[in-house]
Amino acid sequence: MGLLERFEDSLDRLVNGAFARAFKAEVQPVELASALQREVDDRAAVIDRDRTVIPNVFLIELSEHDYKRLAVFKDALQTELCTLVSEYAGSQRYTLMGTVAVSLAQDGDLETGIFRVRSEARAEVRGASTNAVTTTARLEVGGMSYPLVRAVTRLGRGSDSDIRVEDPGASRNHCEIVLGTPVILRDLKSTNGTMVNGARVTEAALEDGAAVQIGATVLVYRIG
């Protein structure tokens, strides 16, 4: 049984057969699943011989009519679509930069039966993080805060980094932040360089609100 067939079978079991009866016309769930597979293949980017990166965050925009019909099963459908993308990525040996997320949204400009898929590869940043407000020096990205509790904090793609940035543009040891007066960021001879407020730097003092860019990932330095 292929991925699309398993997707339909799994979703049908979740809603006790009601799904198949409800969608005799308009946008079919399997059309969305097929479109996600195409989006993944079309956006796949070869980084090196061992990594082909694909999008992991997807937004499916639907007409008002289709959205209202699908919204009844929205949570189940989004979960199944996430599973489908993850399994497809595994079968094709694609690299995901972070957790797969699929969201359905309404677009009043679309006609019934027409939908649009938007996607992006969103890097996952890992480290000791917190949602709490803190007065310590920290980096913020994606709604999370990463306190700078070491004298020297190393950032990069390597597993030994203090803050791991899963971005194809990041080097294993990309840059480091040294606490002091002022706080200093140093590039560690990274392949693609480190940007601070849009300018490539080898070393720079960080002020509150400074944007540190590693590959396509932007982390904001905060203090106070």
Side-chain angles (χ1 to χ4, degrees):
M1 184 182 293
L3 281 174
L4 291 179
E5 288 79 5
R6 290 206 304 273
F7 165 79
E8 287 188 293
D9 183 62
S10 177
L11 195 57
D12 188 60
R13 288 197 308 273
L14 278 173
V15 296
N16 299 319
F19 206 99
R21 293 193 298 272
F23 295 94
K24 295 179 180 179
E26 297 89 22
V27 170
Q28 300 286 339
V30 71
E31 291 181 85
L32 303 182
S34 180
L36 285 180
Q37 284 192 5
R38 290 196 304 273
E39 181 74 5
V40 165
D41 289 333
D42 291 344
R43 295 287 304 278
V46 178
I47 304 303
D48 53 44
R49 60 183 297 178
D50 298 317
R51 290 188 302 155
T52 299
V53 173
I54 62 170
N56 61 304
V57 179
F58 301 86
L59 174 65
I60 301 176
E61 296 173 325
L62 301 151
S63 69
E64 180 179 0
H65 177 79
D66 287 317
Y67 179 80
K68 287 180 178 178
R69 291 176 67 87
L70 285 164
V72 178
F73 310 100
K74 182 178 179 180
D75 291 341
L77 179 56
Q78 290 178 161
T79 298
E80 289 300 317
L81 289 171
C82 286
T83 300
L84 176 87
V85 172
S86 296
E87 291 182 352
Y88 186 62
S91 70
Q92 301 300 309
R93 297 186 178 181
Y94 287 146
T95 298
L96 289 162
M97 292 170 59
T99 304
V100 176
V102 179
S103 303
L104 302 182
Q106 179 179 312
D107 187 333
D109 293 332
L110 295 176
E111 297 181 1
T112 299
I114 304 298
F115 64 93
R116 182 188 301 117
V117 177
R118 302 182 189 274
S119 67
E120 65 174 303
R122 185 176 299 170
E124 190 168 271
V125 179
R126 301 175 186 175
S129 62
T130 177
N131 285 311
V133 175
T134 176
T135 58
T136 61
R138 62 196 185 276
L139 294 175
E140 296 180 349
V141 59
M144 299 300 291
S145 180
Y146 298 83
L148 302 174
V149 296
R150 297 173 180 269
V152 179
T153 300
R154 182 163 293 187
L155 292 80
R157 189 166 47 83
S159 59
D160 57 343
S161 297
D162 300 309
I163 298 179
R164 190 173 180 182
V165 182
E166 292 286 356
D167 189 301
S171 297
R172 293 185 61 81
N173 294 306
H174 197 97
C175 65
E176 63 185 13
I177 295 177
V178 182
L179 296 184
T181 307
V183 173
I184 297 296
L185 177 141
R186 293 195 187 107
D187 182 76
L188 298 175
K189 298 182 180 179
S190 62
T191 301
N192 297 309
T194 304
M195 309 281 281
V196 175
N197 295 329
R200 183 165 179 166
V201 301
T202 54
E203 182 173 309
L206 295 180
E207 297 182 353
D208 185 43
V212 177
Q213 183 172 343
I214 298 175
T217 302
V218 177
L219 306 97
V220 180
Y221 173 74
R222 292 294 186 189
I223 185 67

Coordinates of all heavy atoms in Angstrom, one line a residue, residues 8 12 15 32 55 92 96 100 107 124 138 143 154 169 196 201 208 212 217 224:
E8 N -5.3 7.9 3.1 CA -6.7 7.9 3.0 C -7.3 6.9 4.0 O -8.3 7.1 4.7 CB -7.2 7.5 1.6 CG -7.0 8.6 0.6 CD -7.6 8.2 -0.8 OE1 -7.0 7.3 -1.4 OE2 -8.6 8.9 -1.2
D12 N -9.7 7.9 7.1 CA -11.0 7.3 7.1 C -11.4 6.6 8.4 O -12.5 6.8 8.9 CB -11.2 6.4 5.9 CG -12.6 5.9 5.7 OD1 -13.5 6.8 5.5 OD2 -12.9 4.7 5.8
V15 N -12.3 9.1 11.3 CA -13.6 9.8 11.4 C -14.7 8.8 11.0 O -15.8 9.2 10.7 CB -13.6 11.0 10.4 CG1 -12.6 12.0 10.8 CG2 -13.3 10.5 8.9
L32 N -4.7 17.2 -1.5 CA -3.8 18.0 -0.6 C -2.6 17.2 -0.3 O -1.4 17.7 -0.4 CB -4.5 18.4 0.7 CG -5.8 19.2 0.6 CD1 -6.3 19.5 2.0 CD2 -5.6 20.4 -0.2
P55 N 11.3 21.5 2.6 CA 10.5 22.3 3.5 C 9.9 21.4 4.7 O 9.7 20.2 4.5 CB 9.4 22.8 2.6 CG 9.9 22.8 1.3 CD 10.8 21.5 1.2
Q92 N 12.4 8.9 0.9 CA 13.2 9.6 -0.1 C 14.6 10.0 0.4 O 15.4 10.5 -0.3 CB 12.5 10.8 -0.7 CG 11.2 10.5 -1.3 CD 11.3 9.5 -2.5 OE1 12.1 9.7 -3.4 NE2 10.4 8.5 -2.4
L96 N 15.0 16.9 7.0 CA 14.1 17.9 7.5 C 14.9 18.8 8.5 O 15.6 18.2 9.4 CB 12.9 17.3 8.2 CG 11.9 16.6 7.3 CD1 11.0 15.6 8.1 CD2 11.0 17.6 6.6
V100 N 7.9 18.8 11.3 CA 6.9 19.1 10.3 C 5.6 19.7 10.8 O 5.1 19.2 11.8 CB 6.6 17.8 9.5 CG1 5.5 18.1 8.4 CG2 7.8 17.2 8.8
D107 N -8.7 31.5 2.3 CA -8.3 32.6 1.4 C -9.6 32.9 0.6 O -10.0 32.1 -0.3 CB -7.1 32.3 0.5 CG -6.7 33.5 -0.3 OD1 -7.5 34.4 -0.6 OD2 -5.5 33.5 -0.7
E124 N 15.6 24.5 13.0 CA 15.2 24.2 14.4 C 16.5 24.6 15.2 O 17.6 24.1 15.0 CB 14.8 22.8 14.6 CG 14.2 22.5 15.9 CD 13.6 21.1 15.9 OE1 12.4 21.0 15.6 OE2 14.3 20.1 16.2
R138 N 20.7 36.9 26.3 CA 20.0 35.7 25.6 C 19.8 35.9 24.1 O 20.0 37.1 23.6 CB 18.6 35.5 26.3 CG 17.7 36.7 26.1 CD 16.5 36.6 27.0 NE 15.5 37.6 26.8 CZ 15.6 38.9 27.2 NH1 16.6 39.2 28.0 NH2 14.6 39.8 27.0
G143 N 10.1 32.5 18.9 CA 9.3 32.5 20.2 C 10.0 31.9 21.4 O 9.4 31.9 22.5
R154 N 29.0 28.7 22.1 CA 29.3 28.4 20.7 C 28.0 28.0 20.0 O 27.2 27.2 20.5 CB 30.3 27.2 20.6 CG 30.7 26.8 19.2 CD 32.0 26.0 19.2 NE 33.2 26.9 19.6 CZ 34.4 26.4 19.5 NH1 34.7 25.2 19.1 NH2 35.4 27.2 19.9
G169 N 22.9 26.4 6.0 CA 23.9 27.4 5.8 C 24.8 27.5 7.0 O 25.7 28.3 7.0
V196 N 25.7 40.4 11.3 CA 25.1 41.1 12.4 C 24.5 42.3 11.8 O 25.1 43.2 11.2 CB 26.2 41.5 13.4 CG1 25.6 42.3 14.5 CG2 26.8 40.2 14.0
V201 N 30.5 39.9 9.4 CA 31.5 40.3 10.3 C 32.4 39.2 10.7 O 32.0 38.0 10.6 CB 30.8 40.9 11.7 CG1 29.9 42.0 11.4 CG2 30.1 39.7 12.4
D208 N 21.7 45.4 22.5 CA 20.4 44.9 22.6 C 19.6 45.1 21.3 O 19.6 46.1 20.7 CB 19.6 45.6 23.7 CG 18.2 45.1 24.0 OD1 18.1 43.8 24.0 OD2 17.3 45.9 24.1
V212 N 21.5 38.5 14.7 CA 22.6 37.6 14.3 C 22.1 36.6 13.3 O 21.2 35.8 13.6 CB 23.2 36.9 15.5 CG1 24.3 35.9 15.1 CG2 23.7 37.9 16.6
T217 N 18.8 31.6 9.3 CA 18.2 31.7 10.6 C 18.7 33.0 11.3 O 19.9 33.3 11.3 CB 18.7 30.5 11.5 OG1 18.2 29.3 10.8 CG2 18.0 30.6 12.8
G224 N 18.6 42.6 29.5 CA 17.7 43.4 30.3 C 16.3 43.1 30.2 O 15.9 42.2 29.5

